[in-house]
Amino acid sequence: MLQQIEFSPDDRVLDLGCVYGVVGILAAKLIGQDKVTMCDSSETAVYYSKNNAKLNQVPDIDVKLSNGYENIGNNDFTVILSNPPYHTDFSVAKHFIEGGFHKLVLGGRMLMVTKRLTWYKNKFTSVFGGCKIHEINGYYIFIAEKRTALIKKKDKNPNKLSKKLQHKYKK
């Protein structure tokens, strides 16, 4: 996954499911520790991530104990990086992908590395409208960009303006 990302100095990065912190620590070394948040649902993972951040001279990375996005208040990430657990059902990955869309700014990217192709390709396509896929050594790296807001399924005509907006633009 890290082979497929180039960080920008303006990036705001979330390492989702950071485990021991290698991804977030690398991002912090490249763009600054104040621009990186790392989270994991495991207290042990958070402990090791904090220790590894100190050992790698980026002790001020924001490392949170969080079940997915539960304790992540920011909605202004430009990059979300994740390697979801492989040995669970797809509910964790579904939560990561759907929640990630809402945590990204317009133009923000989500990168995820997995061992499976079809389900992830379909999920990224349904949420983001598509994705790029790279296969490297039996792993799939998905890259999706937030280009628009999600359209609610009950809206049968997504090009039709709401009554509130129609009134606004008539003036």
Side-chain angles (χ1 to χ4, degrees), residues 5 14 21 47 50 81 86 91 93 101 110 112 116 150:
I5 183 81
L14 174 61
Y47 171 82
K50 287 180 179 181
L81 303 164
Y86 298 131
S91 65
F101 184 89
M110 182 171 207
M112 185 175 280
R116 296 182 183 172
L150 275 176

Side-chain angles (χ1 to χ4, degrees), residues 23-33 36 53 55-58 61:
V23 171
I25 290 168
L26 175 65
K29 302 266 284 168
L30 294 172
I31 64 170
Q33 57 190 326
V36 177
L55 290 170
N56 285 279
Q57 290 80 47
V58 286
I61 296 175

Side-chain angles (χ1 to χ4, degrees), residues 16 28-29 45 47 69 74 109 115 146 163 168-169:
L16 180 62
K29 302 266 284 168
Y47 171 82
Y69 301 101
N74 302 47
R109 298 163 291 153
K115 293 286 281 176
K146 182 175 180 176
K163 288 182 182 183
K168 179 181 176 181
Y169 286 108

Side-chain angles (χ1 to χ4, degrees), residues 12 14 16 68-80 95-106 108-110 128 146:
R12 179 91 177 84
L14 174 61
L16 180 62
Y69 301 101
E70 185 176 76
N71 296 322
I72 307 298
N74 302 47
N75 291 322
D76 64 345
F77 293 103
T78 59
V79 177
I80 297 175
H95 171 69
F96 281 14
I97 295 167
E98 290 175 354
F101 184 89
H102 297 289
K103 292 293 183 181
L104 288 168
V105 298
L106 201 57
R109 298 163 291 153
M110 182 171 207
F128 284 86
K146 182 175 180 176

Side-chain angles (χ1 to χ4, degrees), residues 94-168:
K94 178 180 184 285
H95 171 69
F96 281 14
I97 295 167
E98 290 175 354
F101 184 89
H102 297 289
K103 292 293 183 181
L104 288 168
V105 298
L106 201 57
R109 298 163 291 153
M110 182 171 207
L111 285 81
M112 185 175 280
V113 60
T114 75
K115 293 286 281 176
R116 296 182 183 172
L117 175 66
T118 306
W119 185 90
Y120 288 92
K121 178 182 176 186
N122 292 338
K123 189 63 182 173
F124 271 108
T125 299
S126 73
V127 173
F128 284 86
C131 64
K132 291 181 183 177
I133 305 167
H134 300 275
E135 183 180 0
I136 301 173
N137 297 326
Y139 290 86
Y140 299 97
I141 297 92
F142 297 86
I143 305 170
E145 182 179 330
K146 182 175 180 176
R147 296 183 188 155
T148 61
L150 275 176
I151 298 169
K152 294 180 182 174
K153 288 183 180 182
K154 66 180 181 180
D155 186 356
K156 293 189 170 58
N157 185 355
N159 295 321
K160 183 180 172 186
L161 293 174
S162 69
K163 288 182 182 183
K164 188 182 233 181
L165 287 176
Q166 287 174 11
H167 179 70
K168 179 181 176 181

Side-chain angles (χ1 to χ4, degrees), residues 15-19 38-47 49 63-72 85 88 92 95-96:
D15 181 359
L16 180 62
C18 62
V19 189
M38 301 187 327
C39 70
D40 203 287
S41 62
S42 161
E43 289 182 20
T44 303
V46 168
Y47 171 82
S49 291
V63 183
K64 297 179 183 280
L65 180 63
S66 183
N67 184 11
Y69 301 101
E70 185 176 76
N71 296 322
I72 307 298
T88 63
V92 173
H95 171 69
F96 281 14

